[in-house]
């Protein structure tokens, strides 16, 4: 019997059936199953037997195969991932049955599903936030990291593979991610996609003469059009991509020397992972050789002339037009080689060139900047209150030519706009938009200044592009209506004056009496009031202190008297104001969306009554608002109690009159009450939200959009010194709340009926 | 034991502090002083406001009285109060009164942090009256011609409640400070910390990268002061990446992912 034989055999019933045989008493020993774990330390054997026991409890055969094919999975034991592997096996067994699970055990690392479930390496999911922050630190550009099937950028987003497991070392995999992000940032920063054929007419002419006029003028992107001039656009594209990588690496070597050093050693390791070409054409072999040489392999792989061309490219900080010239020269040299060309594998961190995607994104950005420009312009004109006929121009700039030596020359940004011949200084917000337009187009096209009469006068209502909801919409100019910005995570910017919010008072006079409700909570109310009385504190002037703000005259007179009497006087002669008084202002924001209808609404009302009773003991300054809405054009904020309203019968009646209304657009009410709260002078300012689910509204305010807007509104509140806290009764997963409020700034109450007792308790804990 | 102790009227800065002008702030400040106008310095933390005031005190050869304001700072702390001495009450001037009497430069750092009643007492000093009423003494003290009031504040992250009231800010000549340009900052970091130009350039690069993250996860990027701290650690033999981790990364954030991201930036530069 093997060292762990008894324990192994105890895992299986007798007789034990497998798909192929029945094991009776003694058969397993005969087969040597009991000796399979011999040689393992007792600790390791314990771990395997424990895993086998878990499997055996579900299906003894799974444990049997674990032992039988243990050698195939032993590496998991060494890596400490056996428990994780067991989970995968059981999931597979539950989902697909015994045979697939058995295969999975048998094939170990070689099973096709292994990399998916237990693959090594680094996943984008765990690193995207770090990579995005890193990408944004590299420059002013606002970039987003996204998962994609291939690696490229459209100049706004960087697409990366979901997992990298190229190396055995996770650090190197992460480094590869970082190199990819930096490379793509380099493309955006160095304007790879902004090749302008208009700036290099000589080259275009020469290409047409040499290769015939294959110009595809309808191409969205000039870069794609440039490739189309060549007989084999794929070769041109690969040459350009290589040249671009060379100049990006030169940029990295100057700006991020630490990364460049690591990249050099990473490149050497990447050579070994490159597939070896078999029976390829001359041109394919040469192209592959050049890439290999660039990664650090032997010089012989790359012709001397090309080596020198690439080296000089590395040294001279080329612009994108220079890359086009380089591509042409390079193509002339290699184009004569025997084809056809089978595109070689690109350098892993260089990814693909996607000129169309970049062009499309550029057009989208251009359109949104144009709209934003016009919106700001109409706002500016509205404020000026000029006559109907308006002419807007940009004052002439000193540098008028847009191209110099193939490079676009950036003009000076205008500091003023001429409105009807009068110079108006450019507002800050507009300045940023103008900067974007200049970055893109070099100047502001005259069409941008064409503003229709209706736009200038009614910029808000005419520029909305979302179809309004069914109910009565608010008008921006109506009394008590506030236009608030909303955060659009997709463009990482605000939609100005996007949501219209109206503050109204909840009408009082409900059918049910609040006295009855309060009477029903008699015991709870007494307990809570007692607890709150304990923490109530007033500011106290402490007399006869050794130090303080003012002299205690009584004590001083006494001391002088003592001194005259020949007694040693006391040194406790000061008055001090005790500072640890409560100085708190709190706003409670209550979800009155349709989903709270019924029981939740009832419990919210009860909770508010109890809370108000408790807070009136504390004499803390507090306000209560309810919110609901229908589209961005009608966000309703119901004032239940304002800061300056005393708590009394009227407030109680309003609480009893609360109803569930429509949707949950959380951002606008948070922004509004943040303003209310920041006008108070309290030392501690609290914003407590009670909610029953994710932000959700009729016009696209759901999912990531709603969550990100709410999060942004909360960040704004925090910046104003407000402490936000959320009480949620959402039974579904609430990881989104963690994202919005922060890890420790929310609490989940699973039992609705506990609301009246829990909420005052939470408030007490938060403020003491 | 020898303690280097001076009355604040005698606190002259004898050695020229290192200050690299970024615009014509030195000229404007000098003209304001000549015209007896108070100055308001605005700008992010650690960008050189205090150093500028020290430099100007040296340049104008005036004593410098600095008060770091906090939310418990009372008017009495600035103006003065009665103390008991040998059975008698004795009036002791506060730093502001001493500066007014001796014609010093009085620098109230982070003025908005002080209690509101405190900011009001500087009003008569900061307009053409240039007087300090001392209520408890029943006196009005006229400021010496060389006296100058300088206040600073950081508009970046103060709450609205603590914003400077227009009645206060409209008495001052405003000088806006921001982080110096790249070349100047490299020079400052190298000179102040003693590191080589290359190391200083790398530190400034990291500083600029963190400033790109302002409002994208960080409230404020690394200040020049932080970069100098990191430089000093490097100069004392701490490995650059480690020095940045102690002096910059940990200081800017507590968020785990942000810390990792800043770590990646540091690794990319060093």
């Amino acid at each position: 019997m093997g060292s762990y034989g008894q324990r192994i055999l105890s895992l299986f019933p007798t007789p034990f059936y497998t798909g192929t045989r029945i094991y009776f008493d003694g058969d397993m020993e005969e087969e040597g199953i009991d000796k399979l774990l011999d040689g393992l330390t007792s600790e390791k054997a314990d771990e395997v037997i424990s895993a086998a026991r878990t499997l055996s409890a579900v299906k003894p055969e799974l444990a049997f195969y674990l032992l039988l094919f243990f050698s195939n999975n032993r590496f998991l034991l060494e890596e400490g991932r056996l428990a994780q592997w067991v989970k995968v096996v059981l999931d597979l067994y539950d989902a697909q049955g015994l045979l697939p699970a058995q295969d999975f055990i048998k094939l170990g690392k070689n099973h096709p599903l292994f990399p998916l479930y237990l693959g090594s390496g680094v996943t984008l999911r765990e690193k995207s936030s770090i990579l995005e922050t890193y990408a944004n630190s590299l420059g002013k550009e606002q970039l987003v990291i996204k998962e994609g099937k291939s690696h490229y950028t459209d100049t706004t987003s960087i697409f990366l593979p979901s997992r990298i497991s190229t190396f055995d070392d996770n650090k190197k995999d992460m480094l590869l991610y970082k190199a990819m992000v930096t490379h793509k940032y380099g493309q955006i920063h160095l304007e790879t996609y902004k090749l302008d054929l208009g700036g290099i007419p000589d080259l275009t002419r020469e290409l047409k003469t040499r290769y015939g006029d294959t110009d595809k003028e309808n191409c969205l992107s000039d870069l794609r059009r440039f490739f189309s001039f060549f007989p084999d656009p794929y070769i041109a594209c690969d040459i350009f991509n290589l040249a671009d990588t060379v100049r990006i690496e030169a940029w990295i070597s100057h700006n991020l020397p630490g990364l460049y050093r690591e990249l050099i050693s990473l490149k050497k390791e990447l050579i070994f992972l490159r597939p070896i070409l078999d029976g390829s054409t001359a041109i394919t072999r040469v192209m592959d050789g050049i890439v290999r040489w660039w990664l650090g392999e032997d010089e012989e792989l790359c012709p001397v002339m090309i080596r020198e061309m690439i080296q000089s490219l590395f040294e001279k900080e080329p612009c994108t037009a220079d890359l086009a010239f380089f591509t042409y020269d390079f193509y002339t040299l290699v184009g004569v080689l025997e084809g056809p060309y089978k595109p070689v594998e690109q350098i892993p961190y260089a990814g693909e060139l996607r000129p169309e995607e970049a062009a499309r994104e550029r057009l989208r950005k251009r359109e949104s900047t144009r709209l934003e420009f016009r919106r700001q312009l109409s706002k500016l004109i509205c404020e000026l209150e000029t006559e109907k006929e308006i002419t807007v121009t940009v004052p002439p700039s000193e540098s008028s030519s847009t191209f110099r030596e193939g490079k676009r020359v950036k003009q000076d940004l205008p500091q003023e706009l001429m409105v009807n011949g009068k110079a108006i200084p450019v507002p800050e917000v507009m300045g940023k938009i103008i900067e974007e337009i200049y970055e893109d187009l070099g100047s502001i096209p005259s069409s941008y200044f064409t503003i229709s009469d209706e736009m200038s006068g009614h910029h808000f209502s005419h520029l909305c592009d979302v179809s309004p909801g069914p109910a009565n919409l608010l008008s921006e100019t109506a009394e008590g209506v506030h236009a608030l910005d909303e955060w659009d995570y997709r463009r990482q910017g605000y939609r100005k004056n996007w949501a219209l919010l109206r503050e109204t008072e909840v009408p009082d006079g409900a059918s049910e009496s609040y006295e009855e409700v309060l009477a029903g909570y008699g015991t709870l109310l007494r307990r809570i009031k007692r607890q709150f009385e304990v923490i109530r504190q007033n500011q106290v002037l402490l007399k006869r202190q050794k130090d303080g703000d003012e002299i205690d005259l009584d004590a001083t007179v006494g001391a002088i008297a003592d001194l005259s009497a020949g007694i040693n006087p006391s040194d406790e002669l000061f008055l001090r104001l005790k500072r640890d008084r409560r100085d708190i202002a709190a706003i409670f924001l209550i979800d009155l969306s349709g989903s709270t209808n019924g029981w939740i609404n009832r419990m919210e009302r009860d909770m508010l009554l109890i809370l108000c009773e408790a807070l009136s003991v504390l004499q803390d300054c507090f306000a209560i608002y309810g919110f609901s809405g229908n589209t961005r054009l009608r966000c309703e904020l119901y004032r239940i109690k304002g800061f300056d309203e005393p708590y009394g019968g009227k407030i109680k009646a309003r609480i009893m009159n609360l109803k569930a209304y429509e949707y949950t657009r959380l951002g606008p009410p948070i922004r509004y009450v943040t303003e209310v709260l920041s006008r108070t002078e309290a030392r501690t300012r609290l914003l407590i939200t009670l909610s029953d689910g994710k932000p959700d509204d009729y016009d696209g305010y759901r999912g990531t959009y709603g969550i990100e807007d709410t999060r942004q509104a909360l960040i704004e509140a925090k910046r104003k010194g407000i402490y936000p806290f959320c009480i949620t009764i959402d039974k579904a997963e609430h990881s989104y709340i963690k994202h919005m409020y922060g890890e420790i700034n929310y609490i989940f109450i699973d039992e609705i009926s506990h609301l009246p007792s829990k909420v005052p308790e939470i408030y007490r804990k938060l403020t003491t | 034991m020898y303690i280097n102790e001076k009355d604040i009227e005698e606190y002259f800065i004898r050695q020229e502090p290192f200050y690299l002008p970024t615009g014509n702030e030195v000229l404007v400040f000098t003209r304001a002083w000549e015209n007896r106008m108070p100055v308001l310095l605005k700008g992010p933390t650690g960008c050189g406001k205090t150093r500028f005031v020290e430099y100007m005190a040296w340049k104008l050869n005036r004593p410098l009285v600095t008060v770091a304001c906090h939310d418990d700072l009372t008017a009495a702390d600035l103006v003065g109060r009665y103390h008991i001495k040998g059975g008698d009450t004795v009036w002791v001037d506060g730093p502001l009164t001493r500066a007014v009497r001796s014609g010093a430069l009085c620098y109230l750092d982070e003025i908005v942090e002080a209690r509101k009643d405190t900011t009001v007492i500087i009003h008569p000093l900061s307009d053409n009256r240039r007087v300090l009423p001392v209520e408890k003494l029943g006196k009005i003290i006229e400021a010496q011609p060389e006296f100058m009031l300088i206040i600073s504040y950081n508009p970046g992250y103060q709450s609205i409640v603590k914003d400077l009231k227009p009645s206060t800010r409209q008495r001052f000549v405003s000088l806006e400070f921001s982080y110096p340009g790249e070349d100047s900052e490299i020079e400052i970091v190298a000179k102040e910390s003693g590191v080589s130009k290359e190391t200083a350039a790398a530190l400034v690069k990291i500083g600029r990268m963190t400033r790109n993250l302002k409002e994208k996860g960080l409230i404020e990027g690394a200040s020049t002061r932080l970069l100098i701290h990191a430089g000093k650690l490097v100069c004392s033999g701490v490995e650059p990446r480690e020095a940045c981790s102690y002096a910059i990364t940990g200081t800017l954030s507590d968020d785990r992912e942000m810390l990792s991201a800043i770590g990646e930036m540091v690794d990319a530069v060093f």
Side-chain angles (χ1 to χ4, degrees), chain A residues 604-665:
Chain A
E604 280 182 346
R605 291 196 307 246
D606 291 6
M607 177 273 286
L608 285 179
L609 278 180
I610 307 280
L611 185 72
C612 288
E613 292 287 325
L615 289 179
S616 55
V617 172
L618 277 185
Q619 295 172 342
D620 279 0
C621 178
F622 73 102
I624 305 170
Y625 291 87
F627 70 95
S628 164
N630 193 329
T631 77
R632 69 187 177 87
L633 299 179
R634 193 161 65 86
C635 305
E636 300 279 8
L637 191 69
Y638 303 98
R639 194 175 70 248
I640 301 160
K641 179 190 173 302
F643 275 126
D644 47 359
E645 289 174 296
Y647 173 64
K650 198 171 176 186
I651 305 291
K652 291 180 199 175
R654 281 189 205 159
I655 293 174
M656 292 315 294
N657 206 20
L658 285 183
K659 289 187 194 79
Y661 296 92
E662 289 157 290
Y663 293 89
T664 323
R665 199 180 197 95

Side-chain angles (χ1 to χ4, degrees), chain A residues 100-354:
Chain A
Q102 185 184 321
D103 277 352
F104 190 76
I105 299 173
K106 213 156 130 185
L107 294 175
K109 205 186 250 178
N110 301 323
H111 194 280
L113 289 180
F114 188 88
L116 185 67
Y117 295 126
L118 291 151
S120 55
V122 180
T123 62
L124 185 61
R125 199 160 8 139
E126 56 183 315
K127 298 290 181 198
S128 69
S129 157
I130 295 171
L131 291 168
E132 193 166 294
T133 308
Y134 168 75
N136 281 316
S137 78
L138 293 171
K140 300 268 176 238
E141 297 85 351
Q142 180 83 42
L143 300 170
V144 184
I145 299 287
K146 285 183 181 163
E147 191 182 315
K149 283 205 173 101
S150 48
H151 168 45
Y152 69 96
T153 178
D154 63 4
T155 71
T156 299
S157 306
I158 294 175
F159 294 86
L160 297 171
S162 59
R163 179 192 289 272
I164 293 184
S165 51
T166 310
F167 305 97
D168 289 336
D169 183 354
N170 282 1
K171 275 191 185 155
K172 285 183 189 160
D173 290 330
M174 177 60 185
L175 181 62
L176 186 52
Y177 261 139
K178 197 169 153 187
M180 285 172 157
V181 169
T182 315
H183 188 281
K184 291 293 126 343
Y185 172 79
Q187 285 191 333
I188 298 162
H189 179 70
L190 300 171
E191 304 188 331
T192 300
Y193 290 112
K194 285 195 182 167
L195 178 70
D196 196 329
L197 291 179
I200 41 172
D202 297 347
L203 181 64
T204 324
R205 214 173 304 120
E206 204 165 323
L207 275 164
K208 283 183 185 171
T209 323
R210 183 180 274 262
Y211 300 117
D213 194 355
T214 51
D215 190 0
K216 290 184 182 158
E217 277 173 9
N218 55 354
C219 268
L220 206 53
S221 134
D222 266 13
L223 186 57
R224 177 61 69 208
R225 207 178 124 205
F226 171 69
F227 296 149
S228 74
F229 283 126
F230 295 89
D232 189 336
Y234 291 106
I235 302 178
C237 180
D238 281 359
I239 295 172
F240 188 90
N241 201 5
L242 176 70
D244 193 32
T245 302
V246 170
R247 81 161 164 162
I248 290 169
E249 283 184 35
W251 177 83
I252 294 175
S253 75
H254 290 133
N255 291 282
L256 304 167
L259 177 65
Y260 185 67
R261 217 174 33 246
E262 291 177 314
L263 189 64
I264 294 294
S265 51
L266 191 80
K267 278 164 77 171
K268 292 201 173 114
E269 297 198 39
L270 287 170
I271 300 171
F272 301 107
L273 302 164
R274 256 185 106 70
I276 300 198
L277 293 181
D278 225 8
S280 307
T281 56
I283 183 146
T284 311
R285 278 199 307 278
V286 167
M287 289 294 285
D288 185 60
I290 295 166
V291 173
R292 280 175 176 277
W293 166 74
W294 183 247
L295 286 174
E297 221 176 314
D298 288 346
E299 289 190 341
E300 294 88 69
L301 292 168
C302 182
V304 184
M305 197 185 268
I306 290 177
R307 269 202 324 258
E308 283 171 3
M309 279 171 74
I310 293 178
Q311 283 297 3
S312 88
L313 197 65
F314 186 82
E315 279 148 25
K316 75 170 194 190
E317 291 185 26
C319 67
T320 306
D322 293 335
L323 298 190
F325 282 104
F326 174 89
T327 307
Y328 173 71
D329 295 341
F330 194 124
Y331 193 98
T332 319
L333 287 173
V334 298
V336 293
L337 295 169
E338 174 227 337
Y341 175 62
K342 190 178 159 215
V344 297
E345 192 176 290
Q346 288 299 311
I347 298 169
Y349 52 84
E352 287 178 18
L353 281 175
R354 296 271 186 104

